Amino acid sequence: MGRANLVLFWSIQASALLAFAHPPTLGLVALPLASHYGRMIGITLCFHRHMAHRAFHLSRPVRFFFAWLGVSALQKGPLWWAGNHLYHHKFADREGDPHSPVASSFYHAHMGWFTNDIRWDNVSADNPVVREFTRFPEMRWLDRYYAVPPILLALGLFLAGGWPALVYGFCLPTFTLAHSTFAINSINHRFGSRRFPTNDNSRNNFWTALLTLGEGWHNNHHRFQSSEKQG
């Protein structure tokens, strides 16, 4: 991750603490829930199930809508996200897996690979996700200008509700989105149950499933990767 992106990432993480400066109201409690789960749908439905695993077809307008939601979570672009996810499955818990707590440390699997490991900054042109979706100019645009959707979301929230809306609608849920997604890489390869004897350490975890709209049933997913079922 470049220095500017790294500063932005840690600034957003730290900004979640600003929630302590604004006592929550009913509306301010609902806002981070809507922002967290709304953007999580973009990640899990579009980046993960549709783009990485081709579990179902989406029309171009619908794909762009959900990809925009996913990009607004501030986890880089759709080609980068889905492309790196394929490496995770190809080399699960072995050398070549971007984020395995078995092949590396728990911290590296959780977020070190995302923030500090330059090996994963770019996805190869021969990656199946890149080959498939670079055909669409709107997906190339989102992947290149992935900062635009979160900036527009943050600006819209600020204009609509000032600093409290920005903090509760963007800063806090962007923090929870990051660590909920990262938890599937770290926690779900260390803690939980194994329903299927896969060739990796993937596990099902009820708590991470709650945070990620079902992605916590990770061992099930490693066994049936092309399934659209979330659990």
Side-chain angles (χ1 to χ4, degrees), residues 84-136:
N84 270 307
H85 184 71
L86 286 189
Y87 297 141
H88 167 62
H89 281 277
K90 184 177 181 179
F91 303 105
D93 288 329
R94 295 177 285 117
E95 182 65 31
D97 183 344
H99 42 65
S100 168
V102 177
S104 60
S105 68
F106 187 89
Y107 171 80
H108 185 272
H110 188 72
M111 61 189 299
W113 75 279
F114 183 81
T115 58
N116 302 110
D117 196 336
I118 62 173
R119 290 177 299 170
W120 313 111
D121 280 355
N122 299 293
V123 179
S124 172
D126 63 358
N127 184 286
V129 168
V130 175
R131 291 201 311 266
E132 172 68 19
F133 292 102
T134 51
R135 298 184 293 122
F136 304 105

XYZ file of all heavy atoms in Angstrom, residues 84-136:
449
model
N -7.127 -10.821 -5.744
C -6.350 -11.339 -4.625
C -7.080 -12.454 -3.892
O -6.453 -13.381 -3.361
C -5.998 -10.220 -3.643
C -4.687 -9.544 -3.977
O -3.668 -10.207 -4.132
N -4.703 -8.225 -4.113
N -8.403 -12.393 -3.890
C -9.155 -13.447 -3.226
C -8.959 -14.794 -3.928
O -8.944 -15.836 -3.270
C -10.648 -13.099 -3.180
C -11.457 -14.105 -2.421
N -11.378 -14.239 -1.055
C -12.336 -15.063 -2.844
C -12.176 -15.221 -0.662
N -12.768 -15.736 -1.725
N -8.805 -14.776 -5.225
C -8.535 -16.030 -5.940
C -7.220 -16.648 -5.507
O -7.099 -17.880 -5.425
C -8.521 -15.787 -7.449
C -9.864 -15.549 -8.140
C -9.673 -15.557 -9.657
C -10.891 -16.612 -7.756
N -6.212 -15.814 -5.229
C -4.941 -16.349 -4.738
C -5.121 -17.030 -3.386
O -4.458 -18.033 -3.092
C -3.905 -15.229 -4.611
C -3.536 -14.558 -5.905
C -3.330 -13.182 -5.969
C -3.390 -15.295 -7.089
C -2.985 -12.559 -7.154
C -3.058 -14.673 -8.282
C -2.856 -13.306 -8.311
O -2.512 -12.687 -9.491
N -6.019 -16.472 -2.574
C -6.295 -17.088 -1.275
C -6.805 -18.516 -1.449
O -6.378 -19.437 -0.743
C -7.320 -16.255 -0.497
C -7.896 -16.952 0.694
N -7.126 -17.363 1.758
C -9.178 -17.324 0.989
C -7.899 -17.962 2.667
N -9.143 -17.943 2.218
N -7.705 -18.716 -2.375
C -8.249 -20.058 -2.573
C -7.261 -20.979 -3.275
O -7.178 -22.165 -2.958
C -9.556 -19.985 -3.362
C -10.722 -19.592 -2.514
N -11.425 -20.489 -1.748
C -11.319 -18.383 -2.303
C -12.395 -19.868 -1.101
N -12.352 -18.580 -1.428
N -6.517 -20.448 -4.204
C -5.562 -21.276 -4.944
C -4.453 -21.806 -4.035
O -4.010 -22.956 -4.182
C -4.954 -20.474 -6.090
C -4.006 -21.281 -6.980
C -3.501 -20.438 -8.146
C -2.571 -21.259 -9.039
N -2.083 -20.439 -10.194
N -4.019 -20.979 -3.075
C -2.906 -21.361 -2.205
C -3.323 -21.365 -0.733
O -2.519 -21.040 0.138
C -1.737 -20.385 -2.396
C -1.239 -20.284 -3.802
C -1.538 -19.168 -4.578
C -0.475 -21.294 -4.359
C -1.065 -19.052 -5.868
C -0.010 -21.200 -5.658
C -0.302 -20.082 -6.417
N -4.551 -21.729 -0.439
C -5.106 -21.574 0.913
C -4.197 -22.167 1.983
O -3.878 -23.355 1.970
C -6.483 -22.221 0.989
N -3.773 -21.296 2.896
C -2.930 -21.662 4.038
C -1.580 -22.244 3.641
O -0.974 -23.020 4.390
C -3.680 -22.623 4.976
C -4.781 -21.926 5.748
O -4.622 -20.726 6.037
O -5.803 -22.563 6.051
N -1.116 -21.855 2.452
C 0.215 -22.239 1.989
C 0.934 -21.005 1.441
O 0.343 -19.933 1.332
C 0.116 -23.321 0.892
C -0.459 -24.639 1.363
C -0.600 -25.640 0.213
N -1.721 -25.318 -0.662
C -1.603 -25.005 -1.944
N -0.396 -24.940 -2.501
N -2.659 -24.734 -2.683
N 2.181 -21.149 1.116
C 2.920 -20.053 0.501
C 2.198 -19.605 -0.767
O 1.849 -20.422 -1.615
C 4.339 -20.514 0.155
C 5.202 -19.431 -0.456
C 5.477 -18.280 0.491
O 5.538 -18.516 1.718
O 5.620 -17.139 -0.003
N 1.965 -18.314 -0.894
C 1.200 -17.779 -2.011
C -0.169 -17.289 -1.599
O -0.809 -16.535 -2.342
N -0.634 -17.690 -0.417
C -1.887 -17.173 0.140
C -1.594 -15.789 0.715
O -0.727 -15.653 1.580
C -2.385 -18.116 1.239
C -3.728 -17.709 1.823
O -4.163 -16.556 1.623
O -4.356 -18.554 2.502
N -2.286 -14.751 0.257
C -1.975 -13.401 0.750
C -2.156 -13.230 2.252
O -1.460 -12.431 2.882
C -2.965 -12.504 -0.013
C -3.358 -13.292 -1.206
C -3.332 -14.734 -0.770
N -3.105 -13.984 2.833
C -3.472 -13.707 4.224
C -3.823 -14.977 4.994
O -4.956 -15.171 5.410
C -4.629 -12.713 4.283
C -5.712 -12.950 3.269
N -6.504 -14.073 3.276
C -6.115 -12.210 2.213
C -7.367 -14.001 2.284
N -7.144 -12.883 1.611
N -2.837 -15.817 5.213
C -3.053 -17.030 5.999
C -2.398 -16.907 7.371
O -1.190 -16.695 7.462
C -2.475 -18.250 5.281
O -2.438 -19.368 6.160
N -3.154 -17.073 8.472
C -2.534 -17.080 9.798
C -1.786 -18.385 10.074
O -1.079 -18.490 11.074
C -3.732 -16.926 10.746
C -4.866 -17.549 9.998
C -4.613 -17.245 8.541
N -1.957 -19.362 9.195
C -1.231 -20.621 9.326
C 0.147 -20.495 8.679
O 1.164 -20.907 9.241
C -2.023 -21.774 8.668
C -1.239 -23.080 8.734
C -3.385 -21.927 9.341
N 0.198 -19.881 7.487
C 1.459 -19.730 6.764
C 2.240 -18.504 7.223
O 3.427 -18.378 6.929
C 1.196 -19.643 5.266
N 1.580 -17.567 7.919
C 2.242 -16.361 8.417
C 1.693 -16.056 9.806
O 1.141 -16.929 10.463
C 2.018 -15.195 7.454
O 0.637 -14.909 7.312
N 1.823 -14.819 10.253
C 1.333 -14.451 11.582
C -0.148 -14.070 11.543
O -0.704 -13.780 10.478
C 2.129 -13.267 12.122
O 1.848 -12.088 11.376
N -0.765 -14.059 12.704
C -2.166 -13.665 12.810
C -2.342 -12.211 12.371
O -3.277 -11.877 11.644
C -2.651 -13.841 14.251
C -4.124 -13.607 14.425
C -5.035 -14.645 14.274
C -4.613 -12.345 14.744
C -6.404 -14.423 14.431
C -5.972 -12.118 14.902
C -6.864 -13.170 14.746
N -1.419 -11.330 12.795
C -1.506 -9.918 12.415
C -1.381 -9.751 10.901
O -2.131 -8.989 10.287
C -0.431 -9.098 13.113
C -0.348 -7.683 12.588
C -1.261 -6.717 13.015
C 0.606 -7.316 11.630
C -1.223 -5.426 12.514
C 0.651 -6.026 11.124
C -0.261 -5.083 11.565
O -0.226 -3.814 11.052
N -0.429 -10.451 10.297
C -0.248 -10.342 8.846
C -1.500 -10.803 8.123
O -1.923 -10.193 7.147
C 0.952 -11.174 8.390
C 1.264 -11.006 6.939
N 0.672 -11.779 5.956
C 2.086 -10.140 6.294
C 1.124 -11.395 4.770
N 1.974 -10.402 4.942
N -2.106 -11.895 8.593
C -3.320 -12.402 7.955
C -4.480 -11.435 8.132
O -5.315 -11.289 7.238
C -3.680 -13.769 8.540
N -4.534 -10.793 9.285
C -5.666 -9.907 9.557
C -5.568 -8.606 8.760
O -6.523 -8.227 8.078
C -5.742 -9.600 11.049
C -6.975 -8.854 11.441
N -8.222 -9.430 11.466
C -7.163 -7.551 11.800
C -9.124 -8.539 11.832
N -8.509 -7.383 12.031
N -4.409 -7.944 8.814
C -4.318 -6.661 8.130
C -2.925 -6.321 7.608
O -2.789 -5.431 6.768
C -4.817 -5.543 9.040
C -4.040 -5.383 10.327
S -4.822 -4.229 11.490
C -4.805 -2.712 10.554
N -1.895 -7.005 8.078
C -0.548 -6.693 7.630
C -0.360 -6.870 6.142
O 0.347 -6.096 5.492
N -1.024 -7.876 5.569
C -0.910 -8.111 4.129
C -1.506 -6.942 3.347
O -1.040 -6.592 2.263
C -1.630 -9.407 3.754
C -3.119 -9.285 3.752
C -3.957 -9.336 4.836
C -3.948 -9.047 2.619
N -5.259 -9.142 4.447
C -5.293 -8.962 3.095
C -3.706 -8.893 1.259
C -6.368 -8.738 2.234
C -4.778 -8.663 0.411
C -6.096 -8.593 0.903
N -2.546 -6.325 3.906
C -3.258 -5.236 3.254
C -2.504 -3.915 3.375
O -2.468 -3.113 2.445
C -4.649 -5.111 3.890
C -5.536 -4.063 3.278
C -6.237 -4.311 2.110
C -5.698 -2.832 3.892
C -7.073 -3.349 1.552
C -6.531 -1.862 3.352
C -7.217 -2.122 2.176
N -1.862 -3.698 4.525
C -1.246 -2.403 4.789
C 0.248 -2.361 4.501
O 0.780 -1.297 4.145
C -1.461 -2.002 6.263
O -0.895 -3.011 7.117
C -2.940 -1.843 6.567
N 0.952 -3.481 4.661
C 2.410 -3.441 4.649
C 3.092 -4.327 3.615
O 4.286 -4.164 3.381
C 2.955 -3.818 6.034
C 2.439 -2.922 7.131
O 1.644 -3.347 7.953
N 2.861 -1.680 7.137
N 2.389 -5.279 3.028
C 3.023 -6.249 2.140
C 2.817 -5.834 0.681
O 1.741 -6.031 0.111
C 2.440 -7.645 2.381
C 3.305 -8.741 1.785
O 4.062 -8.448 0.841
O 3.222 -9.889 2.254
N 3.848 -5.276 0.063
C 3.720 -4.739 -1.296
C 3.541 -5.827 -2.345
O 3.196 -5.534 -3.492
C 4.930 -3.864 -1.671
C 6.228 -4.694 -1.649
C 5.043 -2.662 -0.738
C 7.426 -3.931 -2.171
N 3.754 -7.091 -1.969
C 3.575 -8.174 -2.946
C 2.155 -8.215 -3.479
O 1.917 -8.693 -4.602
C 3.907 -9.531 -2.311
C 5.361 -9.758 -1.995
C 5.537 -11.098 -1.321
N 4.817 -11.171 -0.062
C 4.645 -12.307 0.633
N 5.125 -13.454 0.159
N 3.999 -12.289 1.779
N 1.201 -7.727 -2.704
C -0.208 -7.837 -3.091
C -0.790 -6.514 -3.558
O -2.004 -6.384 -3.693
C -1.015 -8.403 -1.916
C -0.335 -9.591 -1.313
C 0.254 -9.669 -0.087
C -0.125 -10.859 -1.934
N 0.812 -10.898 0.090
C 0.592 -11.661 -1.021
C -0.491 -11.399 -3.176
C 0.970 -12.969 -1.310
C -0.117 -12.709 -3.469
C 0.607 -13.474 -2.538
N 0.066 -5.534 -3.820
C -0.422 -4.231 -4.267
C -1.027 -4.296 -5.671
O -1.904 -3.500 -6.012
C 0.711 -3.198 -4.262
C 0.989 -2.656 -2.867
O 0.249 -3.011 -1.938
O 1.961 -1.888 -2.714
N -0.543 -5.203 -6.485
C -1.027 -5.327 -7.859
C -1.414 -6.768 -8.153
O -0.825 -7.703 -7.606
C 0.054 -4.876 -8.852
C 0.435 -3.418 -8.661
O -0.365 -2.523 -8.897
N 1.668 -3.182 -8.226
N -2.411 -6.924 -9.014
C -2.868 -8.249 -9.424
C -2.402 -8.494 -10.855
O -2.515 -7.615 -11.716
C -4.409 -8.359 -9.335
C -4.883 -9.732 -9.781
C -4.871 -8.068 -7.908
N -1.879 -9.684 -11.107
C -1.329 -10.018 -12.417
C -2.386 -9.924 -13.514
O -3.568 -10.213 -13.294
C -0.740 -11.428 -12.382
O -0.365 -11.848 -13.663
N -1.958 -9.535 -14.702
C -2.868 -9.408 -15.842
C -3.465 -10.745 -16.250
O -4.519 -10.778 -16.903
C -2.141 -8.775 -17.025
N -2.813 -11.861 -15.898
C -3.351 -13.171 -16.266
C -4.283 -13.744 -15.196
O -4.780 -14.866 -15.326
C -2.222 -14.160 -16.565
C -1.340 -14.444 -15.350
O -1.594 -13.843 -14.279
O -0.406 -15.253 -15.472
N -4.557 -12.956 -14.147
C -5.522 -13.384 -13.130
C -6.904 -13.507 -13.782
O -7.315 -12.626 -14.542
C -5.558 -12.358 -11.997
C -6.463 -12.759 -10.849
O -7.678 -12.697 -10.958
N -5.856 -13.139 -9.740
N -7.649 -14.589 -13.531
C -8.959 -14.774 -14.176
C -9.928 -13.616 -13.967
O -10.695 -13.279 -14.875
C -9.481 -16.066 -13.540
C -8.256 -16.817 -13.160
C -7.261 -15.773 -12.729
N -9.911 -13.009 -12.790
C -10.794 -11.866 -12.531
C -10.411 -10.694 -13.423
O -11.277 -10.042 -14.031
C -10.735 -11.451 -11.047
C -11.410 -10.094 -10.836
C -11.406 -12.495 -10.172
N -9.124 -10.415 -13.529
C -8.656 -9.305 -14.358
C -8.983 -9.569 -15.825
O -9.480 -8.675 -16.530
C -7.145 -9.099 -14.160
C -6.620 -8.032 -15.119
C -6.839 -8.710 -12.717
N -8.728 -10.783 -16.294
C -9.023 -11.115 -17.691
C -10.501 -10.952 -18.010
O -10.873 -10.472 -19.079
C -8.599 -12.556 -17.999
C -7.106 -12.788 -18.016
C -6.779 -14.048 -18.818
N -7.591 -15.179 -18.431
C -7.238 -16.087 -17.529
N -6.065 -15.974 -16.900
N -8.025 -17.101 -17.227
N -11.356 -11.331 -17.065
C -12.799 -11.298 -17.313
C -13.371 -9.887 -17.240
O -14.133 -9.463 -18.114
C -13.510 -12.186 -16.284
C -15.034 -12.092 -16.296
C -15.678 -12.665 -17.554
O -15.004 -13.454 -18.256
O -16.832 -12.327 -17.835
N -13.003 -9.120 -16.237
C -13.732 -7.888 -15.952
C -13.050 -6.623 -16.456
O -13.671 -5.553 -16.423
C -14.027 -7.792 -14.452
C -15.018 -8.824 -13.993
C -14.588 -9.965 -13.327
C -16.373 -8.680 -14.264
C -15.492 -10.931 -12.921
C -17.288 -9.637 -13.858
C -16.850 -10.766 -13.187
N -11.823 -6.706 -16.926
C -11.233 -5.521 -17.552
C -11.871 -5.235 -18.905
O -11.620 -4.181 -19.498
C -9.708 -5.672 -17.734
O -9.415 -6.914 -18.374
C -8.994 -5.579 -16.407
N -12.706 -6.120 -19.383
C -13.456 -5.864 -20.626
C -14.444 -4.726 -20.452
O -14.916 -4.151 -21.437
C -14.207 -7.134 -21.072
C -13.316 -8.304 -21.389
C -14.127 -9.471 -21.918
N -15.021 -10.041 -20.912
C -16.339 -10.140 -21.047
N -16.934 -9.686 -22.155
N -17.079 -10.689 -20.111
N -14.780 -4.438 -19.200
C -15.822 -3.457 -18.917
C -15.174 -2.156 -18.435
O -14.555 -2.128 -17.356
C -16.783 -3.999 -17.863
C -17.394 -5.317 -18.245
C -16.962 -6.498 -17.644
C -18.377 -5.385 -19.220
C -17.520 -7.716 -18.001
C -18.939 -6.594 -19.585
C -18.503 -7.766 -18.976
